[in-house]
Amino acid sequence: MPTDDLDTPHPSRLTPAQARARFRAGLRVPTSGWCSGWTQANLLAVPRDLAYDFLLFAQRNPKACPVLDVSEPGEVSTPLFSGDLRSDLGAYRVYEHGEMVAEVDDATDLWRDDLVSFLIGCSFTFEAPLLEAGVPVRHIELGRNVPMYRTSVACRGAGRLSGPLVVSMRPVPSAQVATAVRVSSRYPAVHGAPVHVGDPAALGIRDLGSPDFGDPVEIRSGEVPVFWACGVTPQAAVMQSRPAFAIGHAPGHMALTDARDSDYLVP
Amino acid sequence: MPTDDLDTPHPSRLTPAQARARFRAGLRVPTSGWCSGWTQANLLAVPRDLAYDFLLFAQRNPKACPVLDVSEPGEVSTPLFSGDLRSDLGAYRVYEHGEMVAEVDDATDLWRDDLVSFLIGCSFTFEAPLLEAGVPVRHIELGRNVPMYRTSVACRGAGRLSGPLVVSMRPVPSAQVATAVRVSSRYPAVHGAPVHVGDPAALGIRDLGSPDFGDPVEIRSGEVPVFWACGVTPQAAVMQSRPAFAIGHAPGHMALTDARDSDYLVP
């Protein structure tokens, strides 16, 4: 890990506003471990005429799509995100008819006036509590993006939207799986408890070494792969359902919000 | 309390299907204490063109409007409610431009093909756990409807919908307030922890003896009024926002769903 100096504080110590300024200036890195204590969020922006279908899709799939905030049509900030949603994330993916047509650092020129932006909880939120509880988080140790996988589990559809559940995976020493479940289940608004522990084949995942999004990480002897519902699920629904237009964050490159992780902790 | 006999089991022992059959046949009573262990829900049905605004209103006011299920437009049952939403509740209130134009036992003739039905969590769900924890529930003791009050607290608006928070009130002995908080907070999907304990004036409630919905109940010496967010809040939004048409349940006359209370219990 880099050490702090006065000019370049470690990303974990930045405020959300400082982090957003760096991304706005063009920095493009995964945000796991950034702005410790501040909540990170997935982004999906869809045209107003698809907003009900998406909000209903989220209501029907709350583990994968816990909605933290919704913008007014055309607005580029929300009560939870005082930055500019078009430019203040590290990277964006732009979809037309379900095909990714661009991955950009700044989506301002591609934004549309009728877009409604949904901010969706992210499992990065409970990584600091996992670390505090002594559960290692391999992709943070390695400075990589978390591995994410499209599964064979279908979400419940809503209107024109359907698609598979996407999961993130963290290898956990078997003696600490219960702790990982207990800690993450206290954050239901950011995916909560794991959806699956142990057998990737049961989720239709053939090769943990080849994630659909993010980077692979080593699973060491005595470790079990633990799978959490992932906020990339909305983009998998866009890919399957092929609406005319949508913009999402690049997986792992999250929106740094003004909310505190503790806001989402249940007793 | 009436005792059971073979022909007339106590309402607490009925299945949801049995309860729905009674309401469909014309029975009209508040449902607090009915179908012990089965989840009860508030109903709001609005035209499809208002459904996004309402779903967003619910997302923005989750304590008052925890959405348990949403019907397809025109459908009169949902995965959570296998009965007929038009007839299987004890009583309904019908609104035109925010005015209650009818209160009926059966809304079948007034139903419209474009209605989307929202089922919203109800605090009756945690009353059995309160009783099990030794916390008295006065309106059940008295065989009355729970008292509900319009407050001076504004909900966060969404599109064309805005309105005040509505609360239910239960008097709790001061030594048991902490228990009531702890028990109800384990059911966040059915309003969860109280929004306020103690001072009705702080919520703009002038007279606890004159509830806006339901029946008054006595507050005894040593008891504190405890206020929970209430699923009548959507109807208060309808009254204030005056959409062309809406149908809700009559307050306290809930939808008996096929879900178990335990489905909504968090660790």
Side-chain angles (χ1 to χ4, degrees):
Chain A
M1 294 256 179
T3 52
D4 286 13
D5 66 42
L6 284 176
D7 295 324
T8 59
H10 188 271
S12 68
R13 307 222 180 155
L14 295 175
T15 66
Q18 289 172 326
R20 292 192 297 252
R22 279 163 209 233
F23 295 127
R24 189 162 59 246
L27 182 68
R28 182 173 180 160
V29 294
T31 53
S32 176
W34 279 57
C35 302
S36 184
W38 296 93
T39 300
Q40 303 195 21
N42 301 270
L43 171 70
L44 188 73
V46 299
R48 170 65 182 86
D49 83 342
L50 194 66
Y52 178 69
D53 286 1
F54 181 70
L55 191 54
L56 188 59
F57 182 85
Q59 193 277 330
R60 290 180 174 171
N61 300 284
K63 288 279 282 188
C65 308
V67 176
L68 303 185
D69 208 359
V70 184
S71 79
E72 301 300 327
E75 294 287 323
V76 297
S77 60
T78 79
L80 217 61
F81 186 91
S82 62
D84 186 326
L85 287 164
R86 300 169 298 184
S87 57
D88 292 4
L89 279 67
Y92 299 83
R93 290 186 168 185
V94 182
Y95 298 90
E96 290 180 6
H97 303 289
E99 302 291 332
M100 187 173 76
V101 295
E103 182 165 310
V104 294
D105 292 347
D106 187 317
T108 304
D109 292 341
L110 299 160
W111 213 261
R112 298 186 184 183
D113 285 345
D114 69 337
L115 290 181
V116 176
S117 293
F118 295 88
L119 292 172
I120 294 155
C122 171
S123 57
F124 292 173
T125 302
F126 54 66
E127 290 180 338
L130 287 177
L131 290 168
E132 282 166 28
V135 179
V137 179
R138 183 69 29 80
H139 62 275
I140 294 183
E141 290 168 10
L142 298 173
R144 291 188 195 165
N145 200 347
V146 68
M148 294 163 270
Y149 307 84
R150 213 182 255 111
T151 72
S152 57
V153 177
C155 289
R156 197 177 149 204
R160 290 156 285 174
L161 291 174
S162 62
L165 173 68
V166 175
V167 294
S168 63
M169 188 280 289
R170 292 163 186 81
V172 177
S174 52
Q176 289 173 286
V177 169
T179 300
V181 170
R182 186 175 52 76
V183 170
S184 59
S185 69
R186 296 184 68 200
Y187 294 88
V190 292
H191 305 305
V195 291
H196 193 90
V197 177
D199 181 12
L203 293 172
I205 299 170
R206 291 189 193 166
D207 179 7
L208 287 177
S210 300
D212 295 299
F213 310 95
D215 302 319
V217 298
E218 177 196 9
I219 299 181
R220 297 184 187 149
S221 174
E223 291 181 338
V224 175
V226 179
F227 300 93
W228 280 268
C230 176
V232 174
T233 300
Q235 294 189 50
V238 164
M239 287 182 248
Q240 178 169 310
S241 309
R242 311 178 72 80
F245 189 74
I247 297 180
H249 67 292
H253 300 65
M254 316 307 291
L256 269 302
T257 78
D258 302 299
R260 294 276 190 180
D261 291 349
S262 55
D263 296 341
Y264 300 106
L265 177 66
V266 299
Chain B
M1 295 253 181
T3 52
D4 286 13
D5 68 42
L6 285 175
D7 296 322
T8 59
H10 188 270
S12 68
R13 307 224 180 154
L14 296 175
T15 66
Q18 290 170 326
R20 292 192 296 252
R22 280 163 209 232
F23 296 126
R24 189 160 60 244
L27 183 67
R28 181 174 179 158
V29 295
T31 53
S32 177
W34 278 58
C35 302
S36 185
W38 296 94
T39 300
Q40 303 196 21
N42 301 271
L43 170 69
L44 188 74
V46 299
R48 170 64 183 86
D49 83 344
L50 194 65
Y52 177 69
D53 286 359
F54 181 70
L55 191 53
L56 187 59
F57 183 84
Q59 193 277 329
R60 290 180 174 171
N61 300 282
K63 287 280 281 190
C65 307
V67 176
L68 303 184
D69 208 359
V70 184
S71 79
E72 300 300 327
E75 294 288 322
V76 296
S77 59
T78 79
L80 216 62
F81 185 92
S82 62
D84 186 325
L85 286 165
R86 301 169 299 183
S87 57
D88 292 5
L89 280 65
Y92 300 83
R93 290 188 167 184
V94 182
Y95 297 91
E96 290 180 7
H97 302 288
E99 302 290 332
M100 187 173 75
V101 294
E103 182 165 312
V104 295
D105 292 349
D106 188 316
T108 304
D109 293 340
L110 300 161
W111 212 263
R112 298 186 184 182
D113 285 346
D114 69 338
L115 290 182
V116 176
S117 293
F118 294 88
L119 293 172
I120 295 154
C122 172
S123 57
F124 291 174
T125 303
F126 55 65
E127 289 180 340
L130 287 177
L131 290 169
E132 282 165 28
V135 178
V137 179
R138 181 71 28 80
H139 63 274
I140 294 183
E141 290 169 9
L142 299 173
R144 292 188 193 164
N145 200 347
V146 67
M148 293 162 271
Y149 306 86
R150 213 182 257 112
T151 71
S152 57
V153 178
C155 289
R156 196 177 150 202
R160 290 157 285 174
L161 291 175
S162 62
L165 173 69
V166 176
V167 294
S168 63
M169 189 280 290
R170 293 163 184 81
V172 177
S174 51
Q176 288 173 288
V177 169
T179 301
V181 170
R182 187 175 52 76
V183 170
S184 58
S185 69
R186 295 184 69 200
Y187 294 89
V190 293
H191 305 305
V195 291
H196 194 91
V197 177
D199 180 13
L203 293 172
I205 300 171
R206 291 191 194 164
D207 179 6
L208 287 176
S210 301
D212 295 299
F213 311 94
D215 301 319
V217 298
E218 177 195 8
I219 301 182
R220 296 181 190 152
S221 173
E223 291 180 340
V224 174
V226 179
F227 301 92
W228 280 269
C230 175
V232 174
T233 300
Q235 294 190 49
V238 165
M239 286 182 250
Q240 177 169 309
S241 310
R242 311 176 75 80
F245 189 74
I247 296 180
H249 68 290
H253 300 67
M254 315 309 291
L256 270 300
T257 78
D258 303 300
R260 295 277 190 178
D261 291 348
S262 56
D263 296 342
Y264 299 106
L265 177 65
V266 299

